[in-house]
Amino acid sequence: GAFAIPGISFALAAVFASLALVPGLYRTLPVLVLALAIRHLALGVAPVTGAVLLVGRGVTDAARSLGDDALRVMLRVGWPLVRPGIAAGFALLFLTFAKELPVTLFLAPPGTRTLATRLWTEATEGGYGAAAAPGLMLLVLSLASVGWLLRTRAATVA
């Protein structure tokens, strides 16, 4: 899975691959996004896969037997069942990307400042008071995304 390889090992491998395959793109946004996507793909796909499996053949066959065409079945039956899984995958990826440090440190374009890099920089320099603001922001983002997930799930169940 996403966490089977330590972040520093993955980051160094991504640096090596970037320099060996496309040296001109090293420390650019496309390489950073690609590395993050590869590292955390399973984390985002797992909830979506689970949601898609909920839409079994029997559910779609029942909707089709009531006279709906394939597009209407997807919009009226499939989408409401899959939407919470997509939202969960998005929220998990968003939070993971927001706190990702090793890959960001090694592959982000020069001058890029993320919450994770600001928190790390301040904490390593002993500026714990200054590190509190990015730490609090990560906490607020986490709470907001969990709240959004719960609201999305409640709207789907109701």
Side-chain angles (χ1 to χ4, degrees):
F3 303 105
I5 299 172
I8 190 75
S9 299
F10 182 86
L12 289 172
V15 167
F16 177 77
S18 171
L19 289 172
L21 299 174
V22 284
L25 291 180
Y26 173 62
R27 295 196 75 179
T28 61
L29 191 59
V31 170
L32 175 63
V33 170
L34 181 63
L36 289 171
I38 291 170
R39 175 153 170 79
H40 300 294
L41 182 65
L43 190 63
V45 169
V48 176
T49 302
V52 168
L53 291 174
L54 284 175
V55 186
R57 182 91 175 154
V59 173
T60 56
D61 286 347
R64 294 288 302 261
S65 73
L66 295 172
D68 284 344
D69 62 356
L71 178 62
R72 206 161 155 89
V73 168
M74 183 183 75
L75 293 175
R76 292 181 58 195
V77 178
W79 176 246
L81 291 172
V82 173
R83 190 177 53 217
I86 293 171
F90 175 79
L92 283 171
L93 287 175
F94 176 76
L95 288 174
T96 303
F97 288 178
K99 67 178 189 61
E100 176 66 47
L101 186 61
V103 173
T104 305
L105 285 175
F106 282 99
L107 292 175
T112 300
R113 305 257 313 170
T114 66
L115 287 174
T117 58
R118 281 194 58 210
L119 180 63
W120 179 75
T121 302
E122 297 296 345
T124 55
E125 294 174 357
Y128 299 113
L136 181 62
M137 183 58 105
L138 279 173
L139 182 63
V140 167
L141 283 172
S142 299
L143 290 172
S145 63
V146 168
W148 176 70
L149 271 177
L150 291 174
R151 194 172 57 248
T152 301
R153 179 68 181 155
T156 302
V157 172

